[in-house]
Amino acid sequence: MRKTKNILIFLFSLFYLFGCGQEKIDPNFEQEVFIELLPKIVDSMFVDVRPIPPPPKEIRNEKNTKIKLQKWKEYKINYFKDKPEYNTEFIIAIDEEIEKWENISSSKVDFEKIKNTKKFIFKPRKEFPQGIDIWKERLKYNFAGVFSFSRIEFDKQKLNGKLSVNYNCGGLCGKGGIVYLKKDNDKWKIEKIEILEVS
């Protein structure tokens, strides 16, 4: 009887620590952290899938002297700078439901608090066609894909956290993983991103 009682106390303690502890996190606090880091997370995993021609084999200056080819990233940036039709923000679709994380129940994204940036415009997933038809949106504007997120799991001090992120940028384009968060000087930052899936 005493052994059974001890087991029950132990199980109740585990349930309290791992089941109830996280639920005590203020949902507003979690949303604030999520909204603060959303643009940084998206920018860290974002894939620019706009088609561009291959770089030239060589670049010559005004004296017709061959110079070194720019780094691919610089070449790509400069290519788009010269094309006004590409100088628009990227449209990002966000799944409205924030998926449950282990013992933390799901919740909803508060789109009223999300602010667009110079690079990204965030919209609810429900505003786009369902299934593969969503990729036809690329023909209309710079649609850059769909992000979905899990709830954030915080430590007891609320100084560290982690969440699962999935990014779909096309039929055979996407990646997902765990984003680790850290509070530093009263601001949240991405400590590291562990990519677990790539397609």
Side-chain angles (χ1 to χ4, degrees):
M1 182 70 179
R2 186 175 179 182
K3 188 175 181 181
T4 304
K5 185 178 178 182
N6 289 339
I7 291 172
L8 287 173
I9 291 171
F10 175 73
L11 291 174
F12 178 78
S13 299
L14 284 178
F15 174 76
Y16 178 78
L17 288 172
F18 297 102
C20 301
Q22 179 65 34
E23 292 295 345
K24 290 185 177 180
I25 292 288
D26 182 358
N28 293 327
F29 169 76
E30 183 182 1
Q31 280 281 345
E32 286 173 10
V33 175
F34 174 77
I35 289 166
E36 180 182 340
L37 287 176
L38 175 64
K40 293 177 184 175
I41 293 172
V42 169
D43 199 32
S44 296
M45 299 186 73
F46 164 76
V47 175
D48 188 346
V49 293
R50 295 176 294 181
I52 67 171
K57 292 181 180 177
E58 60 181 38
I59 299 175
R60 295 182 177 271
N61 60 20
E62 59 276 0
K63 294 179 181 179
N64 203 31
T65 305
K66 184 176 177 182
I67 59 175
K68 289 184 179 179
L69 180 64
Q70 299 164 294
K71 291 182 180 177
W72 173 248
K73 189 173 182 181
E74 292 173 358
Y75 173 81
K76 198 171 183 180
I77 290 170
N78 290 330
Y79 175 84
F80 287 122
K81 276 183 181 175
D82 297 333
K83 305 264 180 301
E85 66 271 24
Y86 283 121
N87 290 340
T88 58
E89 301 92 340
F90 291 95
I91 306 295
I92 301 289
I94 304 289
D95 271 338
E96 295 87 343
E97 183 158 332
I98 301 178
E99 300 168 3
K100 67 179 183 177
W101 174 277
E102 297 176 357
N103 60 315
I104 314 166
S105 59
S106 61
S107 66
K108 299 288 183 183
V109 175
D110 188 349
F111 282 95
E112 291 183 4
K113 293 182 179 178
I114 293 177
K115 294 180 181 178
N116 297 324
T117 68
K118 290 181 179 179
K119 188 173 181 179
F120 300 117
I121 294 175
F122 302 106
K123 294 190 174 185
R125 172 66 179 86
K126 65 183 178 184
E127 292 184 9
F128 298 88
Q130 296 302 308
I132 60 173
D133 288 340
I134 192 170
W135 304 116
K136 294 177 182 177
E137 300 297 293
R138 281 209 181 115
L139 302 176
K140 301 175 187 176
Y141 44 75
N142 287 337
F143 177 69
V146 182
F147 274 84
S148 59
F149 302 89
S150 76
R151 295 282 302 274
I152 303 174
E153 181 183 15
F154 294 98
D155 63 3
K156 290 182 180 179
Q157 291 76 31
K158 299 182 188 176
L159 297 175
N160 297 278
K162 63 180 179 177
L163 72 156
S164 172
V165 179
N166 283 297
Y167 173 41
N168 187 349
C169 44
L172 295 173
C173 175
K175 51 186 169 179
I178 309 298
V179 178
Y180 294 87
L181 316 175
K182 185 179 183 69
K183 193 172 186 179
D184 186 23
N185 293 327
D186 292 328
K187 289 193 176 181
W188 285 90
K189 67 178 185 180
I190 299 171
E191 187 171 30
K192 70 173 181 175
I193 297 178
E194 183 180 0
I195 300 297
L196 303 176
E197 300 173 319
V198 178
S199 64

